[in-house]
Amino acid sequence: MSIAAQIPSRFTLTVKDVATTAGVAPSAVRFYEQHGVITAHRTAGDQRRFDESAACRIKVAKVAQRVGLTVREIADVFVTLPDDPEPQDWQRVAAVLIDEAETRTAALQAYLDEMLSGARLCEIDNRIEVPD
Amino acid sequence: MSIAAQIPSRFTLTVKDVATTAGVAPSAVRFYEQHGVITAHRTAGDQRRFDESAACRIKVAKVAQRVGLTVREIADVFVTLPDDPEPQDWQRVAAVLIDEAETRTAALQAYLDEMLSGARLCEIDNRIEVPD
DNA sequence: CTTTGCCTTCAACATATGTTGAAGTCAAGC
DNA sequence: GCTTGACTTCAACATATGTTGAAGGCAAAG
């Protein structure tokens, strides 16, 4: 009967639904779809329909962006999620994201440590007396 | 005698010097100066001269950008460095940067944990049988 | 003092991450 | 069936982070 019967039944949410739930603008929802962070089915009238995971993916993406991941990188991680992910799939994705964040923080820490201990970097300890 | 005698003697490095040491393009050096990540003195001929810390600041900035800090945010941290910083000044800056990185990673971790345990987010565990 | 290379500013371009508005389509209520 | 609001695409704009090129100035070497 309903048009939506032609696509998997869990794809029922409109752009606005997802935008509201995720706390972003509708334009951002379209943007994230264009860039592979979320996936949409189309109705017979060519309108996007999302499942429940869309808002979640966006919310995760926003937090992941704060640790320096690009939209592309986030999409690359999400693409490993099956169509209808199980908790274990999300756990794997979570582990990948956290690992990447920690790797980057470790790189920062390592660079700062090197700078502060090695101390030949920067002007630090360039305090040797120079003859007049 | 020398023109440079008019400015603090440690400001001797040209844009190219700093760019080479920091491993970035000269244009990036000018960009970072415009945005307060590094500071320059000017020669009588209006050319920029940097001290040794410039390349270091840029290298730190590049790594900090990878953990999601913006150039503005990095400049705001660096602005707390005195003119000729001591190791302790750099240590404080390092602590601020690491703290920010860890805070953001913790936010990601917290959000993912909430999602995976609470499980009312996303479609996870929407696997309850629905009566026909 | 001229050459040569780096310097200057400024504007345009490029990519990432979005937002806004125009022109037109779809869907749901009256 | 018409109105209304949300949907569509597409182009333009906006901000962040730079790069590139043009037009011209400065500095050091011969």
Side-chain angles (χ1 to χ4, degrees):
Chain A
M1 297 307 162
S2 77
I3 285 166
Q6 303 175 8
I7 54 181
S9 59
R10 71 181 193 284
F11 285 86
T12 59
L13 305 171
T14 66
V15 167
K16 188 167 206 203
D17 291 337
V18 173
T20 301
T21 304
V24 300
S27 61
V29 173
R30 298 192 183 92
F31 176 85
Y32 286 126
E33 191 218 356
Q34 278 170 14
H35 292 80
V37 171
I38 56 179
T39 304
H41 286 266
R42 296 295 182 127
T43 66
D46 203 35
Q47 294 192 358
R48 293 172 183 84
R49 289 297 181 266
F50 301 91
D51 67 5
E52 296 285 340
S53 83
C56 178
R57 283 174 179 234
I58 289 173
K59 287 204 257 183
V60 171
K62 295 305 285 181
V63 186
Q65 281 180 278
R66 289 278 292 172
V67 299
L69 300 192
T70 65
V71 166
R72 166 66 80 97
E73 287 167 337
I74 293 162
D76 285 348
V77 174
F78 282 177
V79 89
T80 70
L81 283 171
D83 245 29
D84 199 5
E86 310 251 345
Q88 70 199 24
D89 297 313
W90 272 108
Q91 259 158 20
R92 181 178 40 71
V93 162
V96 170
L97 295 176
I98 291 294
D99 186 64
E100 186 58 35
E102 287 179 345
T103 296
R104 292 181 186 201
T105 301
L108 177 61
Q109 179 86 67
Y111 186 75
L112 292 169
D113 283 353
E114 182 194 340
M115 179 182 107
L116 289 168
S117 63
R120 227 59 50 214
L121 305 143
C122 294
E123 82 295 357
I124 290 179
D125 275 357
N126 284 6
R127 308 186 168 284
I128 300 141
E129 293 283 344
V130 176
D132 222 16
Chain B
M1 297 305 165
S2 79
I3 285 165
Q6 304 175 7
I7 53 181
S9 60
R10 71 180 192 285
F11 285 87
T12 60
L13 304 171
T14 66
V15 167
K16 187 166 208 205
D17 291 337
V18 172
T20 301
T21 304
V24 301
S27 61
V29 173
R30 297 192 184 92
F31 177 84
Y32 287 126
E33 191 218 356
Q34 278 170 15
H35 292 80
V37 171
I38 57 180
T39 304
H41 285 267
R42 296 295 182 125
T43 66
D46 204 35
Q47 295 192 357
R48 292 172 184 84
R49 289 299 180 265
F50 301 93
D51 67 6
E52 296 285 340
S53 85
C56 179
R57 283 174 180 234
I58 289 174
K59 288 204 256 183
V60 171
K62 295 306 286 181
V63 186
Q65 280 180 280
R66 289 277 293 171
V67 299
L69 299 192
T70 65
V71 166
R72 166 65 80 97
E73 288 167 337
I74 293 161
D76 285 348
V77 176
F78 282 177
V79 90
T80 70
L81 283 170
D83 244 29
D84 198 5
E86 311 251 344
Q88 71 199 22
D89 296 314
W90 272 107
Q91 258 160 19
R92 181 178 39 71
V93 162
V96 170
L97 295 176
I98 291 295
D99 186 63
E100 186 59 34
E102 287 179 345
T103 297
R104 292 181 186 200
T105 301
L108 177 60
Q109 179 87 66
Y111 186 74
L112 292 169
D113 283 352
E114 182 194 339
M115 179 183 107
L116 289 169
S117 62
R120 227 62 50 212
L121 305 143
C122 294
E123 82 296 355
I124 289 178
D125 275 356
N126 284 6
R127 309 187 168 285
I128 298 140
E129 294 281 348
V130 176
D132 224 16

